[in-house]
Amino acid sequence: MLTRNCLLLFLWILVNEVSVSSLRPPSLTLGQSRTRGEHARSLVGSMKNGAAGFQRVKRGWVWNQFFVLEEYMGSDPQYVGKLHTDLDKGDNAVKYTLSGDGAGSIFTIDQTTGDIHALRSLDREEKPYYTLRAQAVDINTNRPLEPESEFVIKVQDINDNEPKFLEGPYMASVPEMSPVGTYVTQVTATDADDPTYGNSARVVYSILHGQPYFSVDPKTGVIKTALPNMDREVKEQYQVLIQAKDMGGQLGGLAGTTTVNITLSDVNDNPPRFSKSFFHLRVPESSAVGSAVGRIKAHDLDIGKNAEVEYTIVPGDGGAMFDITTNEHNQEGIIILKRPLDYETKKAYTFKVDASNAYLDPRFQSFGAFKDTATVKINVLDVDEPPVFNKHSYVMDVYEDTPAGTIIGAVTAQDLDASSSPVRYSIDWKSDLDSYFDIDPVEGTISTNELLDRESIAQHNISIVATKLSNPVLTSRVAVTVHVLDINEFPPELASHYETFVCENAKIGQVIQTFSANDQDLPTAGQQFSFKSPKEELKNKNFTIRDFGNNTAGIVTKRSGFRRRLQEIYFLPVVIEDNGYPPKSSTGTLTIRVCGCESDGSLLTCSAEAIFLPVGLSTGALIAILLCIIILLVIVVLYVGLRGQKKKETLMSSKEDIRDNVIHYDDEGGGEEDTHAFDMGTLRNPKVVKENLYRRDVKPEMNRGPRPPVSQDSADIRDFINQRLKEHDMDNSAPPYDSLATYAYEGNGSVAESLSSIDSLAVDHEEDYDYLSDWGPRFKTLAGIFGEQSESQSDTTTTENTH
């Protein structure tokens, strides 16, 4: 190590002679100190011979920037430089001191001579310079001879660090078939040496391994392709060794290396190719539609999506029977059957298949079409097939209670193979556990084995098996659904009890009632009813039945001029017949009442039930309506009674009034002139006489003056009234509504005349209710009730007048 450093130091001195001369200890003469940048001298004032004056003192402290070589390996301390002051006369009277970075531990100074030495080896990459301070003092008194000065010791760099690739090894890729000079990647090496001094940190790049495929720029480290048309299918991976050397690549420089792994990425430069031009496949005729019948494959040297293959069948005679898809995992072409195969119809199919890339690179389309074509031949193999029914399923109908042995239908199956073997039929016993049906094994006719009941089982689902006689193992099945039809067991009936009316003034041909029918048999959706009159009623001169054809019919009058007093009720029979098997019929009776009607045909009078009820109401509804009528009559009677009792009462019988300030009295005095016959205190409301109670609705806030005593003098009464009037006018606590206050009394000579009810007439005006008779027949009952009351009141009045 020491030999190497010495050699490097020797070479460095030869190359940098000028720089090395600055490392020598500086000559500390005054002129040299000025040329090397001494500090500005200070002005010092002194007093000589008692006279004041200033003298420019030359500063004798000489210092400079010192240099020390890094990685010094000598046995003696490395000499750095010398400090000196002009005040040092060489008599050992000056002492030099050193402080700052590394003083005492790294750097030392001779106190007498000022020589500075480095005690150990230094590394510039660890610390490039040190800042220290020097002081010259008197050795006897320790008094500073000059101000303290600062200087720097720089560590001189040597080439002791090789270039390093901090990010290696590198991974890069470049498309195959790229032209020369295509950018691949860039590598970077760093050197810890001083880049500002010499060539220690100037790096040059070169390729040690990887030529002639790639090249590297010596200065930037950019790697590019150096060979055209590199094919990934020939070689995909490349390993390139890059070297970085300092000292500008000169002899003696240090070097570092890194590896760059370069991969050629795929481009679509290869079309798919079939391994052979003809594919021969064999397919059984029993293959199901949609199943895969064969596989072919075209190989592509590319990878990824560049190797994805699309297969298409070239239109032709055989291509319509098949389709082809691509397996995404292995890029195989899967041939799928589109239609059923039949060996007896066609025994072979031939067609062509094209294989092409899904993604094309326009740079290579000039090479030709990126597809390949192969021929596929498919031979159909004969298979012994089971019999085939002429239908996928069968539906049969049979009426319930049909005699056993009745044929209800037949199934047919045949052998489509060339041998055309006979077929035998049977019923799967699991689908007909009770053996309701039987089948002819040769003809395939199905018959009932016992009586069927729709109410027990309305639908039977059986399975018929067809067996090939030449090969009993080959069988086929078909589902047969047997619907048990309902026999018409119930005759139709009227939908409800119809009771209608006919007006006395009805016209000929008038439809007075529409009716319908119900049937308990099923299904209700397909039922059809017909309505007609019985044969014996065809000569009926009053009414007839008209069938509307939509399961409804109407009662039609055949004459006019019905009279209730001659016949009140008519009974009309009607024959109802359904369309069941066998057809059923019944006879219903319609009730018709004769009622009085108005000119527009609305019901006016009839029996009690016909008057108040629509036709067809139940007995409960009739009772409810009658109860309502009775309650209304009771209310009317009570109202009339209370009205008659009210007439006997006086007009003013109540002792209370809604207003507190109204005075009621039943006595009549002699007027203002009669002051002795009547006590004036009775004119006052006894509720107001109480002390401090003026109103009952609002509590007064103002104090009222004392009331004058009751006096028989009319002047006092006038004053009292005036005072009360004034109080009421000034009363702000009065309610917001109008009120009546009485301030005077009543007697003979009063201007208001008598207000008493003693002489009042209590004769009420009797209302005449005869006008109710003019309102029509509906108000006759009400007119009779009020008419009787009016007559009784008139009789009473007459009797009283008589007496």
Side-chain angles (χ1 to χ4, degrees):
M1 184 68 178
L2 179 60
T3 304
R4 189 193 70 172
N5 290 337
C6 292
L7 179 60
L8 292 176
L9 179 59
F10 175 73
L11 293 174
W12 176 77
I13 292 173
L14 290 178
V15 175
N16 302 287
E17 181 178 0
V18 178
S19 299
V20 173
S21 63
S22 64
L23 293 176
R24 297 170 183 171
S27 178
L28 300 180
T29 61
L30 181 58
Q32 289 175 338
S33 65
R34 288 176 181 174
T35 59
R36 296 181 66 89
E38 61 176 339
H39 286 296
R41 296 181 173 84
S42 61
L43 296 178
V44 180
S46 63
M47 297 293 295
K48 295 184 178 180
N49 301 325
F54 294 94
Q55 180 182 2
R56 188 177 186 88
V57 178
K58 180 177 65 175
R59 178 169 179 171
W61 179 257
V62 179
W63 69 276
N64 202 341
Q65 180 171 277
F66 297 105
F67 294 89
V68 60
L69 190 65
E70 72 168 332
E71 302 293 346
Y72 175 74
M73 303 303 294
S75 58
D76 297 330
Q78 184 179 0
Y79 179 73
V80 177
K82 183 180 182 63
L83 298 178
H84 183 70
T85 178
D86 293 343
L87 299 179
D88 186 1
K89 304 301 183 180
D91 53 0
N92 296 331
V94 179
K95 181 176 70 173
Y96 298 95
T97 62
L98 189 66
S99 62
D101 292 343
S105 59
I106 300 176
F107 303 101
T108 182
I109 188 171
D110 190 316
Q111 295 183 358
T112 303
T113 62
D115 294 331
I116 301 174
H117 292 82
L119 300 178
R120 61 181 177 87
S121 177
L122 301 178
D123 188 0
R124 188 201 67 85
E125 287 72 33
E126 181 180 351
K127 189 174 179 64
Y129 64 89
Y130 297 85
T131 302
L132 297 97
R133 295 181 299 276
Q135 181 79 56
V137 300
D138 189 276
I139 196 170
N140 296 321
T141 62
N142 277 335
R143 181 177 62 84
L145 300 179
E146 289 188 359
E148 186 179 53
S149 297
E150 186 178 79
F151 64 96
V152 175
I153 299 177
K154 294 189 66 173
V155 181
Q156 190 69 45
D157 182 52
I158 64 172
N159 189 17
D160 59 340
N161 293 280
E162 70 276 4
K164 294 182 179 179
F165 294 91
L166 302 180
E167 299 179 1
Y170 293 84
M171 304 294 295
S173 65
V174 63
E176 64 173 333
M177 310 300 290
S178 296
V180 176
T182 302
Y183 175 85
V184 179
T185 187
Q186 183 178 12
V187 296
T188 303
T190 59
D191 196 320
D193 293 326
D194 189 1
T196 62
Y197 181 77
N199 295 326
S200 299
R202 190 162 68 90
V203 178
V204 175
Y205 301 94
S206 61
I207 291 183
L208 299 182
H209 178 72
Q211 294 175 337
Y213 304 103
F214 301 96
S215 64
V216 63
D217 189 285
K219 296 181 179 180
T220 61
V222 174
I223 301 175
K224 299 180 180 180
T225 58
L227 194 65
N229 299 328
M230 288 188 292
D231 193 356
R232 184 199 65 82
E233 288 73 29
V234 176
K235 184 176 182 181
E236 183 177 4
Q237 298 287 340
Y238 294 87
Q239 192 175 66
V240 180
L241 185 63
I242 303 295
Q243 181 190 62
K245 189 174 183 181
D246 60 9
M247 296 299 293
Q250 297 177 5
L251 183 64
L254 303 180
T257 59
T258 187
T259 301
V260 182
N261 295 314
I262 301 176
T263 303
L264 295 183
S265 59
D266 184 62
V267 297
N268 191 9
D269 58 339
N270 294 282
R273 290 287 183 263
F274 285 105
S275 58
K276 53 185 178 179
S277 60
F278 187 83
F279 292 88
H280 191 188
L281 303 176
R282 292 178 176 84
V283 180
E285 65 171 338
S286 59
S287 299
V289 174
S291 61
V293 298
R295 297 171 183 267
I296 61 176
K297 185 175 182 179
H299 298 272
D300 195 323
L301 298 178
D302 298 321
I303 59 175
K305 69 177 184 178
N306 295 324
E308 294 180 2
V309 182
E310 290 182 348
Y311 298 92
T312 56
I313 295 178
V314 178
D317 295 337
M321 293 290 295
F322 305 92
D323 195 3
I324 189 168
T325 61
T326 303
N327 188 333
E328 296 180 356
H329 301 287
N330 55 14
Q331 300 301 314
E332 285 184 340
I334 303 174
I335 301 175
I336 298 175
L337 182 63
K338 290 175 59 178
R339 299 176 184 177
L341 297 174
D342 187 10
Y343 175 81
E344 289 72 23
T345 303
K346 191 171 183 178
K347 299 178 175 57
Y349 298 89
T350 303
F351 53 89
K352 293 183 178 182
V353 177
D354 288 340
S356 59
N357 284 134
Y359 304 94
L360 299 178
D361 194 331
R363 295 180 300 171
F364 306 104
Q365 290 184 359
S366 60
F367 294 175
F370 269 66
K371 70 176 183 179
D372 195 13
T373 304
T375 302
V376 178
K377 183 178 181 180
I378 297 179
N379 284 38
V380 181
L381 302 179
D382 187 21
V383 176
D384 198 4
E385 298 174 305
V388 178
F389 286 94
N390 60 352
K391 293 183 180 180
H392 295 290
S393 62
Y394 294 85
V395 178
M396 302 176 184
D397 297 331
V398 59
Y399 283 100
E400 62 178 340
D401 297 334
T402 300
T406 302
I407 297 176
I408 61 176
V411 297
T412 302
Q414 58 182 347
D415 182 15
L416 300 180
D417 292 332
S419 59
S420 185
S421 173
V423 178
R424 295 295 178 261
Y425 304 96
S426 63
I427 297 177
D428 187 357
W429 63 272
K430 294 181 181 179
S431 63
D432 189 21
L433 295 176
D434 296 328
S435 300
Y436 287 107
F437 304 95
D438 195 5
I439 188 171
D440 187 290
V442 177
E443 301 295 334
T445 57
I446 301 174
S447 60
T448 58
N449 204 25
E450 57 180 88
L451 295 178
L452 303 178
D453 186 9
R454 189 197 65 80
E455 285 71 24
S456 299
I457 303 177
Q459 177 177 306
H460 295 267
N461 297 311
I462 60 177
S463 179
I464 304 300
V465 180
T467 305
K468 198 171 183 178
L469 191 60
S470 62
N471 189 358
V473 178
L474 297 177
T475 61
S476 59
R477 296 172 179 268
V478 69
V480 178
T481 302
V482 179
H483 295 289
V484 181
L485 303 180
D486 184 35
I487 293 181
N488 194 13
E489 298 174 326
F490 301 96
E493 298 176 350
L494 289 173
S496 63
H497 177 68
Y498 291 94
E499 185 171 347
T500 185
F501 69 94
V502 61
C503 296
E504 291 180 329
N505 56 355
K507 299 179 181 179
I508 299 176
Q510 181 178 348
V511 179
I512 62 174
Q513 177 67 43
T514 301
F515 59 93
S516 61
N518 289 333
D519 196 335
Q520 300 181 21
D521 291 315
L522 296 177
T524 57
Q527 291 177 346
Q528 184 67 37
F529 304 114
S530 61
F531 304 88
K532 62 183 178 179
S533 299
K535 294 181 178 180
E536 58 273 12
E537 291 291 329
L538 295 177
K539 299 179 179 180
N540 191 331
K541 299 180 180 180
N542 299 314
F543 306 97
T544 186
I545 302 298
R546 179 182 297 174
D547 191 348
F548 296 140
N550 56 356
N551 287 347
T552 61
I555 304 174
V556 182
T557 58
K558 297 180 65 176
R559 68 180 181 88
S560 62
F562 292 93
R563 295 293 180 264
R564 182 173 50 173
R565 64 177 179 270
L566 298 180
Q567 185 174 351
E568 183 180 359
I569 299 176
Y570 290 89
F571 298 100
L572 180 64
V574 56
V575 177
I576 309 170
E577 185 176 355
D578 60 15
N579 61 338
Y581 173 80
K584 295 284 184 179
S585 64
S586 66
T587 302
T589 302
L590 304 173
T591 303
I592 306 171
R593 293 180 179 274
V594 180
C595 299
C597 302
E598 294 185 354
S599 59
D600 59 352
S602 59
L603 182 64
L604 182 61
T605 59
C606 198
S607 62
E609 184 176 0
I611 291 176
F612 295 102
L613 292 178
V615 177
L617 289 179
S618 62
T619 306
L622 175 63
I623 294 174
I625 294 176
L626 291 177
L627 288 177
C628 292
I629 295 174
I630 293 172
I631 292 172
L632 291 175
L633 292 176
V634 171
I635 292 173
V636 172
V637 172
L638 291 177
Y639 172 76
V640 173
L642 291 176
R643 183 178 179 86
Q645 184 180 358
K646 184 177 180 182
K647 294 178 180 180
K648 299 177 182 180
E649 295 181 354
T650 59
L651 293 177
M652 299 296 291
S653 62
S654 177
K655 299 298 182 179
E656 297 180 358
D657 194 13
I658 59 174
R659 294 164 294 190
D660 293 343
N661 52 1
V662 177
I663 301 174
H664 301 275
Y665 54 90
D666 299 330
D667 197 1
E668 185 175 3
E672 294 181 357
E673 298 177 357
D674 187 2
T675 59
H676 298 285
F678 183 77
D679 186 6
M680 297 302 296
T682 61
L683 293 177
R684 299 166 58 194
N685 193 337
K687 297 178 181 179
V688 185
V689 175
K690 296 182 181 180
E691 194 68 26
N692 297 328
L693 276 175
Y694 303 107
R695 304 187 68 84
R696 291 190 298 173
D697 52 353
V698 178
K699 184 177 180 181
E701 298 180 359
M702 60 179 294
N703 296 327
R704 302 180 184 274
R707 293 183 177 86
V710 179
S711 174
Q712 303 297 330
D713 189 4
S714 61
D716 295 336
I717 293 176
R718 286 195 300 271
D719 295 340
F720 171 73
I721 292 175
N722 292 331
Q723 183 179 355
R724 291 291 303 277
L725 179 61
K726 184 177 181 180
E727 290 177 0
H728 281 283
D729 291 340
M730 301 299 293
D731 187 5
N732 294 326
S733 64
Y737 51 81
D738 297 335
S739 61
L740 177 63
T742 303
Y743 306 107
Y745 59 91
E746 185 181 11
N748 294 330
S750 174
V751 180
E753 297 183 354
S754 176
L755 300 177
S756 174
S757 60
I758 296 176
D759 296 333
S760 301
L761 295 177
V763 179
D764 294 337
H765 175 70
E766 299 297 339
E767 185 177 0
D768 188 7
Y769 295 98
D770 293 339
Y771 61 87
L772 294 176
S773 302
D774 300 334
W775 286 8
R778 290 192 178 92
F779 297 93
K780 288 182 179 181
T781 304
L782 191 61
I785 294 173
F786 284 94
E788 293 176 0
Q789 181 179 356
S790 178
E791 292 175 2
S792 62
Q793 291 179 356
S794 300
D795 295 340
T796 304
T797 305
T798 306
T799 304
E800 291 177 356
N801 295 334
T802 305
H803 290 292

